[in-house]
């Protein structure tokens, strides 16, 4: 088990993923390597695993195994990155989405609501866009949309207006600067509010939903017929995209149906409902509390 963070739904996800020990597999979110190590344990000497992570910290967890290759790249470049290694088709793709426990615990990264840190929230520290730019440079309407659609905050327009008003007086540079703007909130609402607010900003900084869409489409492209796509998500926005894509290969709208009302499916679902961690796992790993896992077999 990795010290980077405890992988969520470890056995269930790898059970669903690895049905051919001689196959080629992809771990889109390497992190501390917990899922990757479990996958490697299931592979024969003929098997191969390619893992992706854009976070430079994750590279420190590289695995010394001839069956393993770690690619320092955002998984939105899944297809082309695999082609660079001569791989066009794979047997399975796993993605454990969201922010790792390590990223939350590294105060300077600015992901956590618990610590005072620079407004950063970049998963890839080499990119220029960060949370400070979002909060201080975005127009009021754009901020309101981010809070409403990514944080599901009803008072999004008021929040955006307050931020724009305050930043005219003084730049908002740290997580504490941002939290102070909303110190009037009743104590029983504070934790949930900040979690939603920080989630919204983080999604925008890292373009998480657009990146997820790109990865899902490319995962479908690289999977062999019968190959498996396993995705673990942590909030409803992610899960909704994954659920729709596994159902009909689309993110919005309705698929074209024949005269009998049938449509061409992209995947067969292994289970009709999402798999969630049991009480024991949640007790041992708080990160698992909101996790949902869905698995599809490419048709």
């Amino acid at each position: 088990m990795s010290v980077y963070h405890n992988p969520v739904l470890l056995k269930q996800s790898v059970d669903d993923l690895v049905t051919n020990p001689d196959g080629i597999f992809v771990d889109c979110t390497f992190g501390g390597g917990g899922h990757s190590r479990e996958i490697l344990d299931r592979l024969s000497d003929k098997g191969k695993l390619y893992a992706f992570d854009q976070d430079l910290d994750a590279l420190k967890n590289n695995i010394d195994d001839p069956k393993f290759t770690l690619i320092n790249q955002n998984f939105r470049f899944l297809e082309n990155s695999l082609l660079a290694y001569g791989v066009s088709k794979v047997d399975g793709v796993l993605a454990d989405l969201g922010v790792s426990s390590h990223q939350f615990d590294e105060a300077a990264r600015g992901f956590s609501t618990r610590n005072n840190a620079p407004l950063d929230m970049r998963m890839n520290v080499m990119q220029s866009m960060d949370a400070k730019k979002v909060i201080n440079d975005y127009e009021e309407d754009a901020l309101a949309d981010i809070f409403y659609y990514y944080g599901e905050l009803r008072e999004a327009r008021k929040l955006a207006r307050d931020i724009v008003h305050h930043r005219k007086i003084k730049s908002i540079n740290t997580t504490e600067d941002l939290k102070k703007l909303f110190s009037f909130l009743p104590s029983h609402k504070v934790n949930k509010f900040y979690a939603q607010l920080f989630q919204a900003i983080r999604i925008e900084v890292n373009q998480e939903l657009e990146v997820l869409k790109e990865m899902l489409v490319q995962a479908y492209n690289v999977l062999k017929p019968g190959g498996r796509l396993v995705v673990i998500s942590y909030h409803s926005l992610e899960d909704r995209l994954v659920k729709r894509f596994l159902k009909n290969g689309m993110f919005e709208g309705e698929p074209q149906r024949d005269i009998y009302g049938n449509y061409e499916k992209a995947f067969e679902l292994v289970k009709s409902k999402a798999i969630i961690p049991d009480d024991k796992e949640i007790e041992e790993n708080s990160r698992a509390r909101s996790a949902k896992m869905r698995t599809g077999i490419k048709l």
Side-chain angles (χ1 to χ4, degrees), residues 28 75 78 93 95 97 211-219:
C28 287
F75 60 51
L78 173 68
V93 177
L97 305 174
V211 169
L212 173 57
K213 290 179 185 178
E214 292 174 30
M215 182 276 288
L216 291 172
V217 170
Q218 291 177 53

Side-chain angles (χ1 to χ4, degrees), residues 235-267:
H235 57 75
S236 60
L237 300 176
E238 292 174 337
D239 183 57
R240 201 174 299 140
L241 291 176
V242 174
K243 182 179 180 181
R244 287 184 63 88
F245 187 74
L246 289 177
K247 181 180 179 182
N248 57 33
M250 301 172 67
F251 301 111
E252 55 188 32
E254 291 296 325
Q256 189 170 355
R257 298 175 183 269
D258 61 22
I259 58 173
Y260 304 105
N262 301 314
Y263 62 88
E264 187 174 343
K265 293 183 179 179
F267 294 90

Side-chain angles (χ1 to χ4, degrees), residues 21 74 84 108 116 132 137-138 143 220 230 236 244 254 264:
N74 190 312
N116 186 24
K132 182 179 176 181
D137 296 349
Y138 274 34
L143 281 176
Y220 177 82
V230 182
S236 60
R244 287 184 63 88
E254 291 296 325
E264 187 174 343

Side-chain angles (χ1 to χ4, degrees), residues 99-267:
V99 182
S100 72
S101 301
H102 169 78
Q103 289 169 325
F104 272 123
D105 292 340
E106 285 287 306
R109 302 291 292 272
F111 286 108
S112 175
T113 63
R114 301 189 305 269
N115 306 303
N116 186 24
L119 277 173
D120 193 327
M121 303 192 196
R122 293 173 297 171
M123 292 182 180
N124 177 4
V125 296
M126 305 302 290
Q127 74 178 40
S128 59
M129 175 59 70
D130 61 11
K132 182 179 176 181
K133 288 188 178 180
V134 171
I135 292 299
N136 288 282
D137 296 349
Y138 274 34
E139 297 290 337
E140 183 178 319
D141 285 349
L143 281 176
D145 285 346
I146 290 166
F147 299 152
Y148 183 77
Y149 291 110
Y150 296 164
E152 300 180 291
L153 289 160
R154 294 180 187 176
E155 61 272 41
R157 299 229 163 264
K158 183 182 184 306
L159 299 178
R161 190 163 57 248
D162 289 348
I163 287 172
V164 170
H165 171 73
H166 280 88
R167 76 189 189 192
K168 288 177 181 176
I169 302 168
K170 185 180 179 182
S171 178
I172 303 167
N173 298 319
T174 68
T175 54
E176 202 61 35
D177 289 343
L178 181 61
K179 289 168 67 175
K180 281 179 181 176
L181 302 186
F182 310 107
S183 58
F184 59 85
L185 289 168
S187 58
H188 67 280
K189 289 187 176 182
V190 165
N191 289 341
K192 183 180 180 183
F193 170 80
Y194 286 143
Q196 290 173 282
L197 180 66
F198 276 50
Q199 172 184 292
I201 300 166
R202 192 197 78 222
I203 289 174
E204 175 62 20
V205 168
N206 299 287
Q207 295 293 293
E208 291 177 32
L209 299 185
E210 291 307 311
V211 169
L212 173 57
K213 290 179 185 178
E214 292 174 30
M215 182 276 288
L216 291 172
V217 170
Q218 291 177 53
Y220 177 82
N221 292 342
V222 301
L223 279 170
K224 300 173 183 176
R228 293 182 168 220
L229 175 59
V230 182
V231 185
I232 304 169
S233 60
Y234 294 88
H235 57 75
S236 60
L237 300 176
E238 292 174 337
D239 183 57
R240 201 174 299 140
L241 291 176
V242 174
K243 182 179 180 181
R244 287 184 63 88
F245 187 74
L246 289 177
K247 181 180 179 182
N248 57 33
M250 301 172 67
F251 301 111
E252 55 188 32
E254 291 296 325
Q256 189 170 355
R257 298 175 183 269
D258 61 22
I259 58 173
Y260 304 105
N262 301 314
Y263 62 88
E264 187 174 343
K265 293 183 179 179
F267 294 90

